[in-house]
Amino acid sequence: RIDALLKERYVDSGKLPHTQILIAREGEIVHFASQGMARASDSPGGGKPVDETSLFRIASMTKPVTSIAFMMLVEEGKVAVDTPVHHVLPEFKGLGVYNGGGAGVPFLTKSTDEPMRMVDLLRHTSGLTYGFQNRSNIDAAYREGRIENWHGNLDLDGFVAALGNIPLEFSPGTAWNYSVATDVLGAVVQRVAGVPLEDFFARRIFAPLQMHHTFFQVPEDKVDRLTDCYDFVPGGKPVMMDPGAASAWSRKPTLASGGGGLVSTSLDYHRFCSMLLNGGTLDGARIVGRKTLDLMT
């Protein structure tokens, strides 16, 4: 019934170019099905159906990976959940809350009630925002500075420095707002661990979990497996955003986005989820402790 519904309502109707669904219960995959073409028929590699090897841009499913990476460092005693962010990222020291200005007028700020802490990054109570929110002078400043452009001029350090010059939308801990907080958390992981974020992910998480098909940059020998990516258009047909054959994800990003930059497969991400469900371990590889997951949830 699941597959028939997806085919009729989504693939055949043109709402989605393809679907893939994986359902597991008690550690076992009980349903794994794919439909549709991985790439448009008129593109290189077109006509190949989506299958278990297909690579997808997993967007904000990157965030739990970054959060787990941070909690691994907490377990090692290198940072704490309540550590003020500016202790690791001094660029955030003295960062104020919006109190007027913007749109060509210098920002006015007021002091935060409490310093931004790591837990605020983890739970999106930091006062940061996303440029696509389109509702304030703060997110307009993000767009103007193009600070969320992964292939732009800013690396993680430059990204943090740019954010340190833009006021917060609210005092940390007083409200919730979906934001670049997990990208900032990625910078924290990089600074505390002393290695590039992508290296930490690869060595400490992906290798132990045998997630061999998860990365920020798709290797050249796997680009043919990368699916086309579309923007959803309400009431209309999907619009091609990033073709698999000429994808931005085939190039090394300047900014490794802990908030949304990874590519993976359903089977790889299932291994990550299984590790969490198992209390932090999978097939003999311990990533985090059970009590750490209890604290997180």
Side-chain angles (χ1 to χ4, degrees), residues 20 22 32-34 38-39 48-57 212-215 218 221-227 263-268:
Q20 185 168 89
L22 186 156
F32 187 26
S34 306
R39 293 186 181 177
K48 180 183 177 182
V50 169
D51 62 23
E52 65 180 30
T53 70
S54 295
L55 294 166
F56 302 94
R57 302 147 194 80
H212 304 308
H213 312 290
T214 306
F215 15 67
V218 180
D221 63 352
K222 291 184 172 67
V223 169
D224 64 322
R225 294 164 45 187
L226 184 61
T227 59
V263 168
S264 189
T265 64
S266 292
L267 288 172
D268 259 24

Side-chain angles (χ1 to χ4, degrees), residues 154-222:
L154 300 178
D155 58 11
L156 262 180
D157 289 335
F159 171 76
V160 169
L163 287 174
N165 291 319
I166 303 173
L168 301 173
E169 288 206 335
F170 52 83
S171 190
T174 64
W176 187 94
N177 185 46
Y178 197 49
S179 73
V180 298
T182 318
D183 289 285
V184 174
L185 194 67
V188 170
V189 170
Q190 183 166 282
R191 295 263 181 107
V192 172
V195 297
L197 183 64
E198 56 267 35
D199 291 351
F200 188 94
F201 281 5
R203 298 172 190 170
R204 299 289 306 277
I205 299 176
F206 301 152
L209 292 179
Q210 300 177 50
M211 295 172 62
H212 304 308
H213 312 290
T214 306
F215 15 67
F216 285 109
Q217 178 188 2
V218 180
E220 186 175 350
D221 63 352
K222 291 184 172 67

Side-chain angles (χ1 to χ4, degrees), residues 1-135:
R1 289 182 186 173
I2 291 170
D3 297 339
L5 181 140
L6 290 175
K7 184 177 188 300
E8 177 185 349
R9 295 194 188 178
Y10 295 94
V11 179
D12 288 352
S13 69
K15 288 182 180 178
L16 295 178
H18 47 244
T19 66
Q20 185 168 89
I21 183 166
L22 186 156
I23 302 171
R25 183 173 186 269
E26 296 178 357
E28 298 295 329
I29 296 174
V30 296
H31 186 67
F32 187 26
S34 306
Q35 299 185 56
M37 295 296 112
R39 293 186 181 177
S41 58
D42 59 351
S43 69
K48 180 183 177 182
V50 169
D51 62 23
E52 65 180 30
T53 70
S54 295
L55 294 166
F56 302 94
R57 302 147 194 80
I58 65 170
S60 287
M61 289 163 66
T62 304
K63 289 180 170 68
V65 180
T66 305
S67 300
I68 285 294
F70 175 82
M71 295 308 294
M72 293 169 75
L73 297 173
V74 170
E75 286 191 346
E76 294 172 7
K78 295 179 177 178
V79 66
V81 172
D82 61 354
T83 298
V85 174
H86 71 266
H87 285 191
V88 175
L89 305 178
E91 295 94 329
F92 277 26
K93 186 173 179 61
L95 190 56
V97 178
Y98 178 78
N99 197 32
V105 179
F107 283 122
L108 301 176
T109 63
K110 57 185 178 182
S111 298
T112 60
D113 299 333
E114 293 286 338
M116 184 194 303
R117 303 182 188 279
M118 299 300 175
V119 69
D120 293 311
L121 297 176
L122 287 158
R123 67 187 181 188
H124 290 284
T125 56
S126 63
L128 297 165
T129 189
Y130 264 128
F132 62 71
Q133 300 280 20
N134 285 296
R135 66 186 181 203

